[in-house]
Amino acid sequence: MPRMDDALFKRILLPLADPDDAERTARAVRPYIDSETTLVITHVTQGEAAGTTIATGRDHFAEETYETFVSVLGRQDLQLEWVTLEGRTVSEAITDAVGTVEATLVAFTPRDLDTWSRTLAGDPGGKLIREADIPVMIFPSRSE
C-alpha cells in the first residue's frame, strides 16, 4: 500500500462540499494516509466580504459533512483539524486559507465526470489548481 510520509503530504487541506463529497473523499484518501499525516478538513460557506473568513473548529452547518468523513475514514490514529471558511467563491476561500493553515497539499475528489471536465476547463477546481501556491492533487473517487 502506498504511503504518504513525504513532506508534501504532511498537512493536507481537504475541502468537503457535503456529506456525499465527504464520503467519496474519505474513501479516496484512506489507502494513502498514515499517522504522520495531518488532515485539515474544511467546508466553505458562501460569504459576501472581499476577504476569506477562517474559523477553526467544527461549524454546526457542516457537522453532518464532518461526521460522515470521520465515519467513512474509519481511522483513529490520524491527526485531524477542522476549519470552516467563508468566502465569495470556493476556490478563492481555499486558496486564501492555504498559508494560514500551513497546508503542504490541497486534495479533493471530483464530484462526477462532468465536474472532472469542468475542473480541467476552468471551474472551481481548475481555478484552485491554477491559483494555489502549493500542489493540488485530485484523487479519483472510489466506490469502496
Side-chain angles (χ1 to χ4, degrees):
M1 175 182 325
R3 291 182 44 134
M4 287 194 171
D5 53 3
D6 183 83
L8 177 64
F9 303 104
K10 186 166 178 66
R11 291 182 57 81
I12 303 174
L13 180 61
L14 291 170
L16 304 176
D18 56 37
D20 290 339
D21 187 39
E23 181 176 346
R24 279 189 302 276
T25 301
R27 289 187 196 291
V29 302
R30 184 173 50 201
Y32 302 99
I33 54 179
D34 63 29
S35 61
E36 300 296 314
T37 302
T38 298
L39 299 177
V40 182
I41 312 303
T42 189
H43 178 78
V44 179
T45 60
Q46 187 71 32
E48 298 300 321
T52 299
T53 302
I54 299 172
T56 56
R58 292 176 173 209
D59 179 85
H60 180 69
F61 176 78
E63 191 69 27
E64 183 181 358
T65 299
Y66 293 150
E67 290 298 328
T68 299
F69 181 81
V70 171
S71 173
V72 172
L73 191 64
R75 301 271 306 261
Q76 302 298 317
D77 63 331
L78 299 174
Q79 300 171 54
L80 302 176
E81 295 179 14
W82 310 96
V83 178
T84 300
L85 307 173
E86 181 178 294
R88 286 190 282 189
T89 69
V90 171
S91 59
E92 181 179 293
I94 294 167
T95 301
D96 288 351
V98 164
T100 304
V101 301
E102 300 176 343
T104 56
L105 176 72
V106 176
F108 66 96
T109 58
R111 291 194 182 102
D112 56 37
L113 289 178
D114 290 334
T115 300
W116 199 202
S117 299
R118 288 191 317 261
T119 294
L120 296 175
D123 262 347
K127 186 172 182 181
L128 176 62
I129 291 167
R130 288 188 306 277
E131 295 180 4
D133 292 335
I134 60 173
V136 176
M137 181 177 284
I138 301 171
F139 280 91
S141 294
R142 291 181 167 290
S143 59
E144 174 6 52

